[in-house]
Amino acid sequence: MKFKRIVWSVIMLFFIFPQGFVSAETNSNDKPAEQVVEENYHTVLETWEKEGKKGASDFEASVSPSDFQIKDKKNLLSAAESKGYEDRVFYWHNQESVSYEIDVKEAGLYELSFDYYPLSNEVVPIEGAIQVNDKYPFYESRRIVFPADWQNDRNKFKKDRFGNDMIPKQKRVEKWNRLTAEDASQLQSEPLKFELKKGKNKITLANLSGEMLLGNAYVHFPSKLPSYKEYLADHKDQKQVNTLITRDAEKNYTKNSSYIRPFAANDSSAIPSNPKTLLLNTLGGDSWTKSGQTVNWKVNVKKDGFYNLTFKVLQNKETGGPVFRKLLIDGKVPFSEAAPITFDFNKNWTNVTLEDNKGKPFLFYLKKGEHEIGLEADASPVEPVLHTTNEIMREMEELTLEIRKLTGNQTDRSRGWKISEYIPGIDKKLSGWADRLDQELKYLRSLDHSREDSQDIVSLEMAAQKLRNLSKKPDQIPSRLTELSEGSSSAAQMLGNMLVTLPEQPLTVDQFYLHGGDKELPDAEAGFWEKLIDSVKRFFLSFFSENYSAKEADEKTLEVWVNRPRQYVELLQNLSDQNFTPETGIKVKFSIMPEEQKLILASASNKQPDIALGISSWLPYELSIRGAAVDLHQFDDFEAFSKHFSPGAFLPLMIGDSVYAMPETQDFFVQFYRKDIMQALDLPVPDTWDDVKSILPELQRFGMNYYTHIAGATGFKPFQATAPFVYQFDGDLYGKNGMKTAIGSEESLKGIQFMAELNTIYSLPLQVPNFYNHFRYSTLPIGTANFTTYTQLTAAAPEIAGWWDIAPHPGVKKEDGTVERWATGSGQSAMIFKGTKSKEDSWELLKWWLSTETQTEFATNLQMLYGPEYMWNTSNLEAFKNLPWPDKHKETILKQWEYLYEVPKNPGSYMIERELSNIWNRIVFDGVNPRSAVDDSVVAIDREIKRKMEEFGYVKDGKMVKPYPIPTIEQVKNWGDEDNDGNEDENENN
């Protein structure tokens, strides 16, 4: 029986894979995805250590910009243009590269340093890449970050209309810096080392983004920090100073991230504190989480001598683990034991005195005068865990792919597989992973001094346990892939979550103290009675607080509900108070919207605001068809103002030629691709769907694939996933007069059929829970995605920053050579309610808010104050050009927006969306003929549209009373044209 089962399994496999299949012995030409590019620095460093390669002996050389090998000599600036460098400098920008030669007498490991002066006044980082002798020595050399220093534009905080402190604007500190090349993720405890051969070596620094002045380049032997014992010996004649110097953390500091910001701790233990208003009384928290982020505080000391150093901190990391900091004094780590310093998890404020492992406080020598005390977030202690986990996850991905190839992706639990016979040693592989994770568990626990395990430790422990359980019954793995690598409770998902949270290093600092002798420190926590009295005050004052709550404004004040978090509303209110109200005399009160759905209830009860901002694009239509919204097309200057926006963005906000909302933000679907992977495989970036099909064999040969947003949807496929295929093949969703659907036309059918064939014939993934993670780990190095993915990759994928790019959405090539790239792009919208106090004043506010100037200022301030993840995808095309994003990316997005075609609404459009999803499911999963699947849905859609049209008065007794014209892009483009008589063809598609 056993023999028969094996034979039958082999026969089935040859039916599934007629060209053969990959077993445990893979094709020698195939490589895993991560080996397509260079090895990472961790692996290279281990290899150097095994080979006995060491840092070079005492050596340092510098190269002046005058000796650089450069293409464009006009970028070599004179000493007079050097911003105080007093020598010639190189203007490094716009993808320029500079090279220089260095002659070393001894082969070995060296460090590279650069003098630089940041010129980018934006949030876009200054990034470069380093090649040695025309090769990237390791993957991390593909991205080197040159940070700029920032400070508040004022030390005294301004107050808002409610008496709360406002976060000040940021300005760049203009000065020359020196950087020793480091890992951009800041996961290495020391600067990067580069192997140089004896004799001449060519070093190339290429620009990836940003601009700066480049001074001398240096090559030198690796530096080494003294030990604490050596540090004390260097200052053996000094004495400890008997003093207590207190510094507030939220004032008088510089930082290397503009968005490390002061925070209002609503807590009586924070100093200062006020139960009525919000005071910016601490620094950091969630804005100070990324490794490498540094804060430097200025402090004056009156005597030479030794000082102890204590920080009053709140370390309440969500996962409960420790965080780490490097101590910097005047920009340098004083001794090796000061990097890193551990701050253990504690829900309460605590005084952490910097001390050795025996609990004896460190002594720090300071001369009389001004000094800088700095803390740098440091995730390097957990780098070994991250490295091992990443390796195991990649191996798990390969094993999962191998199992899918063997089983034909069949996961039927009733079907048996002798998987251990096709993949010998699979049980040992799984148990080996568990053993490696156990080793990392022991290491993590050695870093954590708290009593309870952190969530990261628990995730690691559970993942190891799952792998060990699977290793005991390997033949069940095909039906238990949800435990291995798929689903929210799989081992891979647990490890993936840990990879995100473990490197985070949040820390909130209230004060720090330089002290010594018999001086006592203030208590970190307020006393019991002080806390009790403070909490009672806060409770009663909360009944009278008006901080951005949705309460009715007075008759002379416009009331605006905003469907966004507090920081957005605060910034918007402050902009309005500073600019709009003084210019127009119109008072405005912005409030945080309780829930978007409550707008419908508020409208029904006549308690609606004047204006709503940040609402979903479907909501204005639902309100307008029920008579609750103002038609913006009635204003004389509407058509001129509409030219600032993409025509296709208006379509879901219209009924006929009436417009009931303005597009406020705008999504985009573009093609994301890994430059490093595509270059390594020598693959072109696709321009059309035919191009996509042509690169699939090579991608799939390496265990990779192409992602579409169909795979990102779950069981239900929204218009964002399905409608673009209909429009790109010249199809349409609506028929004449909007009374029927047009998905049954030949053009629409072609689009629907191709959409399904991508999965049934070309084997694109059916479901991908998280494209962002697959893109980072190289398994899906290319695909179409939207603004959310762009934000994630910009803010939370430092390891591949500079090595991914975007291109326009693939489309269908027409006979004239043009490519139809139609894609959706609805974001949030802004509308005026019919119950407004003043239509004209409301329209003036809407125009001010959506104007180029306001949108530009809002977007820049938001990102500068709160970080790169707070990207504002404004719908104003002119404002979008001014955003602090890479220019090349903005050009691509603007090009794609020329093909923005958001789906218009009619009362039954939800049924078209649902049935398009059902059609895809029936074709892909049930094998139904496309024509048959579409015809069945057309009947259901037409019936529902007719029923809804009757409900809203367009049909009576089965007959059309009045047509329902579907808005078109051509119709919107004709607004404001002198020859537009209003009688354009309502059914023209594009």
Side-chain angles (χ1 to χ4, degrees), residues 147-161:
D149 289 330
W150 298 83
Q151 64 184 19
N152 298 335
D153 70 342
R154 60 179 66 232
N155 274 321
K156 190 174 181 180
F157 302 129
K158 283 185 175 181
K159 303 284 186 182
D160 66 11
R161 57 165 53 197

Side-chain angles (χ1 to χ4, degrees), residues 317-561:
K317 184 177 179 180
E318 194 172 340
T319 59
V323 301
F324 308 94
R325 290 291 187 272
K326 285 180 184 176
L327 175 72
L328 304 171
I329 295 181
D330 296 325
K332 295 180 179 180
V333 179
F335 45 83
S336 58
E337 289 86 344
I341 295 160
T342 304
F343 291 87
D344 289 316
F345 175 78
N346 197 321
K347 292 181 180 179
N348 299 316
W349 287 98
T350 181
N351 287 329
V352 178
T353 300
L354 307 191
E355 56 191 24
D356 62 20
N357 52 16
K358 295 180 180 178
K360 186 177 180 180
F362 288 129
L363 295 173
F364 299 95
Y365 175 70
L366 296 176
K367 285 186 176 181
K368 179 183 177 181
E370 187 174 79
H371 294 272
E372 281 191 339
I373 305 295
L375 288 179
E376 177 184 335
D378 182 16
S380 64
V382 299
E383 189 274 337
V385 183
L386 299 174
H387 176 77
T388 301
T389 305
N390 262 317
E391 279 191 336
I392 291 173
M393 284 191 67
R394 283 169 175 159
E395 291 171 21
M396 288 169 67
E397 194 79 46
E398 290 172 35
L399 179 63
T400 302
L401 180 67
E402 199 166 345
I403 291 170
R404 283 176 179 161
K405 287 178 178 179
L406 285 166
T407 63
N409 210 24
Q410 299 297 315
T411 57
D412 186 356
R413 286 183 175 271
S414 63
R415 185 173 183 176
W417 290 97
K418 282 289 183 181
I419 206 73
S420 57
E421 296 182 9
Y422 299 109
I423 309 178
I426 186 174
D427 53 340
K428 292 181 181 178
K429 187 187 286 276
L430 290 164
S431 60
W433 291 340
D435 291 341
R436 290 167 67 189
L437 292 179
D438 283 342
Q439 289 298 316
E440 300 305 330
L441 264 172
K442 290 179 184 177
Y443 172 70
L444 266 188
R445 285 196 170 106
S446 72
L447 298 175
D448 194 345
H449 305 132
S450 55
R451 295 178 181 177
E452 296 183 5
D453 284 346
S454 67
Q455 289 180 25
D456 296 317
I457 289 177
V458 172
S459 295
L460 207 59
E461 193 170 31
M462 290 179 67
Q465 187 177 346
K466 279 181 180 289
L467 292 173
R468 193 159 275 115
N469 289 338
L470 287 168
S471 71
K472 294 173 182 176
K473 297 180 179 179
D475 290 336
Q476 293 183 7
I477 292 176
S479 59
R480 294 172 64 186
L481 283 177
T482 52
E483 295 178 49
L484 177 65
S485 58
E486 298 174 354
S488 58
S489 60
S490 66
Q493 188 64 48
M494 289 176 180
L495 295 177
N497 292 340
M498 190 210 66
L499 287 175
V500 174
T501 58
L502 187 61
E504 292 177 346
Q505 306 292 308
L507 185 70
T508 305
V509 183
D510 182 12
Q511 294 181 322
F512 69 89
Y513 312 99
L514 286 166
H515 59 100
D518 57 3
K519 299 292 183 180
E520 289 190 10
L521 298 177
D523 291 334
E525 283 281 314
F528 172 78
W529 291 109
E530 188 179 348
K531 284 185 175 181
L532 179 63
I533 293 169
D534 185 77
S535 62
V536 171
K537 285 181 179 178
R538 291 179 191 276
F539 174 74
F540 282 105
L541 288 170
S542 67
F543 291 102
F544 306 100
S545 173
E546 291 188 9
N547 286 357
Y548 305 108
S549 57
K551 295 181 180 178
E552 287 190 45
D554 61 60
E555 285 298 318
K556 296 181 180 179
T557 304
L558 289 179
E559 185 180 3
V560 184
W561 286 7

